Amino acid sequence: MNFEILAPAGSMGSLIAGVRSGANAVYLGGKLFNARRNAGNFNDEELKTAVEYCHARGVRVYLTLNILVSDGEMKEAYDLVKSALEAGVDAFIVQDIGVAKMIRDHFPTARLHASTQMSIMTPAGVKYAESLGFSRVVLPREMSLGEIREIRKSTDIELEIFVHGALCMCVSGQCYLSSMLGSRSGNRGLCAQPCRLPFTARGNKNDAALSLKDLSLIDDLDKLDGITSLKIEGRMKRPEYVSAAVTAVKKAVDGTLTDADRKDLRSVFSRSGFTDGYLTGKRGADMFGARTKEDVVSAKDVLKDIERSYRNEQALLPIDMTFVCKEGEPVKLTASALGKTVTLTGGVPEKAINKPMTEESLTQRLSKLGGTQFYANEINVELDGGLIISASAINELRRNAVEALSKTEKAEIECKPYALEIAEKAPRVPYFTASFKDVSQLPENHPFRRVFIPITSPAEAFEKHSAGVAVPRGMFGCEKKIKERLVELKAAGVKTALCPNLGAYELCKSLGFEVYGDFGLNVYNSVSANMIENPLLSFELTLSQANAVAADGTGIIAYGRLPLMLMRNCPVKAQIGCDRCRKHGELTDRKGYRFPVVCDGYPCVELLNSVPVYMLDRLDEIKTDFAHFYFTTETRDEVANIIKKAETGAKPDFKYTRGLYQRGTV
């Protein structure tokens, strides 16, 4: 098996642990714009040092730029990319499509990897990423082996998957729980992990309803044909964890993994064990788990042994040498490693008085590479008889050759001056649009210029209400089924589509629909807003930020229970089963707040906020093109009441939130 082993590096200590344990690449963050802003991370000088260390050992470095970036931050993102390229970074892991465009426009040769935060789960999504210039896609953790293979067959692009580490309950890039509950956004790099706090389903005794065991696919690697990179999660973890995980993956790839390695891996960190439930399709209660006292205690017995395993430099790279020693000529050493070759000359050898040098003694002397990253591979000696040169001179030549091969050459980058003017947008008086979870919610008379109903709605309902189709957010393994249904609806006269992910957007555009971008696209700045037609802006923006986005056809959600999580493993089903739920699921947190869990005919469920966002009494403050109503659990009468309040600007007579439009995220 030939894979890249990709290690997390939240600090220089973790980076060294990963490299010395056998990683082929590391991913790390700068001080800004990465999804683990609470990790140690690297400033410009530290990044340069990290890249030099890695490149001297044949290890690639990928910089995480995997959060949403506002208009006011785009120039800083440009500066970070420029300094990272100058330091020699090999690629950028990007979430925000606006950031991807900025990089592509200003740094044409930069390599882009599509972060798992982009929620690319279908062949069409990969196709969209390719059109933006991405050379690699990091697939969601929630994909089954069959779904991964479906994407592999559809494209030649590099694919990367997570094979070990923490497993979020929510599809990456679609979690708003932390931001809505505490203004700390996962899409901005500061997730507070509220999902690990107690949540229960209808009084079930298990209070870890949103906490999954850690992922581990080390026993499944032989099934992952066609995958380029095996990624280990853990930039917030200690160096010993990184070392243990890299070692386990490397041994699994080599076929030398032992039960002792598995025990070390579980001991250093787990949540009641590991799971491969998504890959194997065995989703359910067995995937859930929380960190226990036993999990914490087990680590203390293995940490010292693990640290000892990478304390010293590891000889991981082969070096070839040719030593030429001829009478009357300066000795010459040619050394090759890391794709480079250097040639050094020394003094002229003398006639030996007693014991002349031999090919064997010279080979032994040149092989003394202890304390370096190299081990001797092929050593050739061309030697005239009866000659001698001092051991110190040979040692110096060898040391100088190793030093020369270890030097990182200054990176030459293609860079255009920053030129991204964000124009001011004239304020609008917003018109109304709406989406419905069920067509039965839709009243006969309404003020909405556009309405969207689920793809599963009867064809006659689309015609009756002149409705567009709302494509499901979760499309794992369903692209063919969804495409067939879209073709039917297009033939029946449906013209518009609300697209919640990049795959849906690409698919609907290719079928000739008039497309509208849903909130799941995480449109957060003017660049991305101009890349998506009629975008519903991220509800993680403040109202003033949303109003200032300079693009035509933008909107915000002015009313609705915001979806806080998109989940492939239903927490209610896992705790009490579908029979007791009857599609009326909910979770209760430790403070007694109730969060509805809604499902449909596609392979994901949504966790909704306990109360709706309500801006209908402040519509005069909304300056986007449209205000969107996101109806989920409301009855038709409740929908009619909300419409009436919007038309009169009435204050709500129920519990509500202003969401992040007022308080924003940190």
Side-chain angles (χ1 to χ4, degrees):
M1 294 184 289
N2 185 24
F3 298 111
E4 173 188 86
I5 299 174
L6 179 55
S11 66
M12 194 63 188
S14 291
L15 182 145
I16 291 171
V19 171
R20 289 182 176 175
S21 299
N24 308 109
V26 299
Y27 65 103
L28 48 77
K31 292 297 184 181
L32 299 171
F33 309 128
N34 79 88
R36 294 293 183 270
R37 283 164 61 191
N38 283 333
N41 296 317
F42 297 77
N43 62 30
D44 287 352
E45 282 303 310
E46 291 165 343
L47 180 61
K48 184 179 178 183
T49 300
V51 172
E52 289 174 348
Y53 179 88
C54 288
H55 284 183
R57 289 153 183 82
V59 174
R60 294 173 289 278
V61 179
Y62 307 144
L63 185 79
T64 56
L65 228 169
N66 55 344
I67 68 167
L68 304 179
V69 173
S70 69
D71 284 342
E73 297 168 329
M74 198 64 77
K75 176 58 167 63
E76 287 182 279
Y78 167 92
D79 291 339
L80 175 59
V81 172
K82 186 173 184 290
S83 63
L85 286 172
E86 289 171 344
V89 161
D90 297 284
F92 298 89
I93 305 172
V94 177
Q95 174 187 10
D96 190 320
I97 61 172
V99 171
K101 186 176 189 307
M102 180 275 291
I103 295 174
R104 179 58 64 239
D105 288 348
H106 293 85
F107 307 97
T109 60
R111 282 178 57 84
L112 298 179
H113 294 178
S115 170
T116 189
Q117 295 282 117
M118 288 181 74
S119 311
I120 294 175
M121 63 189 80
T122 61
V126 173
K127 184 178 179 181
Y128 185 87
E130 286 185 278
S131 73
L132 296 183
F134 284 95
S135 60
R136 179 183 294 189
V137 170
V138 187
L139 296 177
R141 296 165 174 86
E142 293 79 12
M143 299 191 74
S144 70
L145 186 59
E147 292 157 1
I148 292 170
R149 287 174 174 169
E150 178 189 20
I151 287 181
R152 178 68 289 164
K153 290 177 183 177
S154 74
T155 180
D156 293 326
I157 201 170
E158 292 181 358
L159 298 179
E160 176 178 307
I161 68 169
F162 283 90
V163 296
H164 192 82
L167 199 56
C168 295
M169 188 69 203
C170 181
V171 175
S172 291
Q174 301 301 311
C175 187
Y176 310 98
L177 183 68
S178 181
S179 60
M180 290 302 297
L181 297 190
S183 292
R184 291 181 58 183
S185 169
N187 283 321
R188 295 279 289 158
L190 284 174
C191 178
Q193 299 187 16
C195 52
R196 303 295 182 186
L197 297 173
F199 284 85
T200 59
R202 294 196 185 172
N204 189 283
K205 291 183 180 179
N206 180 3
D207 65 357
L210 293 177
S211 181
L212 295 174
K213 295 176 181 176
D214 277 19
L215 169 74
S216 190
L217 304 182
I218 58 171
D219 290 316
D220 300 293
L221 301 187
D222 60 334
K223 304 170 187 173
L224 301 179
D225 49 297
I227 297 300
T228 300
S229 183
L230 308 179
K231 188 172 195 170
I232 298 164
E233 184 278 336
R235 282 194 288 139
M236 299 290 287
K237 299 288 200 315
R238 60 195 305 158
E240 293 89 345
Y241 169 90
V242 176
S243 174
V246 170
T247 299
V249 173
K250 184 174 177 58
K251 286 188 173 183
V253 169
D254 295 339
T256 59
L257 186 71
T258 67
D259 287 339
D261 298 319
R262 292 184 180 90
K263 183 179 179 182
D264 284 351
L265 192 57
R266 175 163 179 168
S267 295
V268 75
F269 193 94
S270 82
R271 290 182 171 90
S272 308
F274 300 126
T275 180
D276 63 359
Y278 285 130
L279 187 80
T280 60
K282 298 176 182 177
R283 299 184 296 274
D286 288 344
M287 287 187 67
F288 290 78
R291 189 94 163 124
T292 66
K293 182 179 179 181
E294 289 75 18
D295 293 328
V296 176
V297 170
S298 66
K300 67 179 179 66
D301 297 325
V302 301
L303 292 178
K304 288 184 178 179
D305 288 340
I306 293 172
E307 190 274 333
R308 274 194 291 270
S309 72
Y310 66 83
R311 184 180 298 167
N312 298 317
E313 184 72 73
Q314 303 294 304
L316 299 172
L317 295 172
I319 186 171
D320 298 329
M321 288 182 275
T322 297
F323 187 80
V324 179
C325 184
K326 300 290 184 179
E327 185 176 351
E329 299 177 9
V331 296
K332 183 168 65 176
L333 175 64
T334 300
S336 299
L338 293 167
K340 297 183 286 187
T341 298
V342 298
T343 299
L344 303 171
T345 57
V348 177
E350 300 176 352
K351 282 283 189 182
I353 298 175
N354 295 315
K355 191 174 181 182
M357 294 184 300
T358 65
E359 290 184 14
E360 183 181 359
S361 66
L362 281 169
T363 299
Q364 186 178 27
R365 175 69 58 185
L366 292 169
S367 297
K368 290 184 176 181
L369 294 159
T372 77
Q373 68 270 40
F374 298 109
Y375 63 87
N377 188 35
E378 290 189 9
I379 297 183
N380 299 306
V381 175
E382 299 177 19
L383 176 65
D384 286 348
L387 299 177
I388 190 75
I389 191 170
S390 69
S392 60
I394 298 170
N395 290 343
E396 184 179 7
L397 276 175
R398 186 195 64 235
R399 283 194 300 269
N400 289 343
V402 166
E403 183 180 343
L405 289 171
S406 299
K407 282 185 179 178
T408 303
E409 296 177 5
K410 182 175 175 58
E412 295 293 330
I413 66 171
E414 186 177 346
C415 171
K416 298 178 181 177
Y418 184 77
L420 198 62
E421 297 285 339
I422 306 298
E424 289 191 18
K425 179 183 175 181
R428 310 287 205 268
V429 176
Y431 59 86
F432 294 166
T433 66
S435 58
F436 297 84
K437 276 292 181 187
D438 194 284
V439 70
S440 66
Q441 298 170 294
L442 226 167
E444 292 295 329
N445 298 305
H446 59 74
F448 304 121
R449 184 180 298 186
R450 292 189 300 271
V451 297
F452 297 94
I453 58 178
I455 196 172
T456 52
S457 304
E460 56 269 21
F462 288 93
E463 182 179 1
K464 177 182 177 181
H465 298 287
S466 299
V469 56
V471 182
R473 291 177 69 203
M475 292 175 59
F476 296 99
C478 296
E479 183 172 279
K480 182 179 178 182
K481 175 183 175 183
I482 288 172
K483 182 176 181 179
E484 289 172 352
R485 177 59 173 161
L486 289 170
V487 169
E488 291 175 2
L489 293 175
K490 189 76 165 51
V494 178
K495 295 181 174 62
T496 58
L498 185 62
C499 304
N501 58 63
L502 294 174
Y505 189 81
E506 174 71 22
L507 182 61
C508 290
K509 277 187 73 71
S510 70
L511 292 174
F513 284 90
E514 183 181 346
V515 291
Y516 293 82
D518 206 353
F519 66 86
L521 294 172
N522 290 320
V523 175
Y524 199 80
N525 54 62
S526 298
V527 181
S528 56
N530 279 287
M531 298 168 69
I532 299 294
E533 295 179 22
N534 310 298
L536 194 55
L537 301 176
S538 167
F539 51 74
E540 293 191 291
L541 291 166
T542 64
L543 185 55
S544 61
Q545 285 177 316
N547 286 338
V549 169
D552 291 328
T554 63
I556 66 165
I557 295 178
Y559 169 82
R561 285 183 184 266
L562 300 180
L564 305 183
M565 281 189 169
L566 179 69
M567 304 171 288
R568 187 147 196 206
N569 197 349
C570 179
V572 178
K573 178 181 179 180
Q575 287 209 352
I576 65 173
C578 292
D579 290 341
R580 286 181 61 192
C581 172
R582 297 174 183 250
K583 294 188 181 295
H584 289 87
E586 66 177 21
L587 296 182
T588 305
D589 72 2
R590 70 196 193 283
K591 295 182 179 179
Y593 291 106
R594 296 181 174 183
F595 300 80
V597 177
V598 297
C599 57
D600 55 31
Y602 288 87
C604 284
V605 299
E606 291 179 310
L607 179 75
L608 304 181
N609 203 5
S610 58
V611 295
V613 68
Y614 190 93
M615 297 294 290
L616 305 182
D617 57 334
R618 296 172 60 177
L619 288 171
D620 60 331
E621 298 176 36
I622 299 175
K623 307 301 181 185
T624 55
D625 294 88
F626 64 94
H628 189 72
F629 294 63
Y630 187 78
F631 293 114
T632 52
T633 60
E634 295 85 356
T635 65
R636 181 182 291 191
D637 287 343
E638 289 170 334
V639 169
N641 183 45
I642 293 300
I643 291 173
K644 184 177 179 181
K645 289 182 183 302
E647 292 174 333
T648 61
K651 298 232 176 252
D653 51 7
F654 47 79
K655 290 184 178 179
Y656 68 97
T657 178
R658 300 294 188 191
L660 298 164
Y661 297 137
Q662 189 166 288
R663 54 190 166 92
T665 60
V666 292

